[in-house]
Amino acid sequence: MSKIAAHIIHEQPQQQPVLEDAIRVEGLCVCYGSKRAFHDISFVAQRGQITALIGPSGCGKTSLLQCMNRLTDLVPGCHVSGRVLVDDIDAYAPQVDMIALRRHVGMLFQKPNPFPLSIRR
């Protein structure tokens, strides 16, 4: 047996790093008034991994992203149900500091999107 083959045989298998959940969405539903944007969405985005949302225009991609930092709270008539966990913290829990959440979960829009609030807020 060659030295290389002997080395490979005795080499310990490499362990894969345990990936943490950065964002976990469970049974998420979003409605704007009586119009349902989507319902029963669940997925996990793991830390250190790239996650892509792909779909046609109007299918709810932006609404889903807005749920992650509660920008949907700024939309009159918007109702969100289900769970959004960001680093194992429920984003919709009453005690969540929304300013801290929005600092942690930033949004980058395709087009400039002024919000109906002040820069300070």
Side-chain angles (χ1 to χ4, degrees):
M1 189 180 313
S2 74
K3 290 180 183 179
I4 294 173
H7 177 68
I8 292 173
I9 290 170
H10 297 307
E11 190 173 308
Q12 295 293 322
Q14 291 182 348
Q15 292 185 355
Q16 295 293 326
V18 177
L19 297 176
E20 299 174 13
D21 296 347
I23 297 174
R24 176 180 292 275
V25 174
E26 300 171 347
L28 192 64
C29 302
V30 173
C31 295
Y32 296 101
S34 62
K35 183 179 179 191
R36 183 167 57 188
F38 56 78
H39 71 284
D40 200 25
I41 299 295
S42 297
F43 77 93
V44 174
Q46 295 179 321
R47 188 172 317 288
Q49 300 293 309
I50 296 172
T51 303
L53 297 176
I54 301 171
S57 178
C59 73
K61 299 180 300 290
T62 299
S63 294
L64 175 61
L65 292 172
Q66 289 176 344
C67 289
M68 293 178 197
N69 67 0
R70 292 184 57 174
L71 285 177
T72 51
D73 291 3
L74 304 174
V75 179
C78 183
H79 175 73
V80 178
S81 62
R83 292 183 71 196
V84 177
L85 301 168
V86 178
D87 290 333
D88 292 326
I89 297 170
D90 186 348
Y92 284 86
Q95 69 273 19
V96 166
D97 179 354
M98 284 193 293
I99 293 172
L101 176 67
R102 290 178 183 149
R103 284 182 181 145
H104 187 68
V105 181
M107 295 286 291
L108 182 63
F109 296 96
Q110 185 174 4
K111 295 178 183 175
N113 191 6
F115 296 110
L117 50 104
S118 68
I119 297 295
R120 180 180 169 95
R121 183 168 175 210

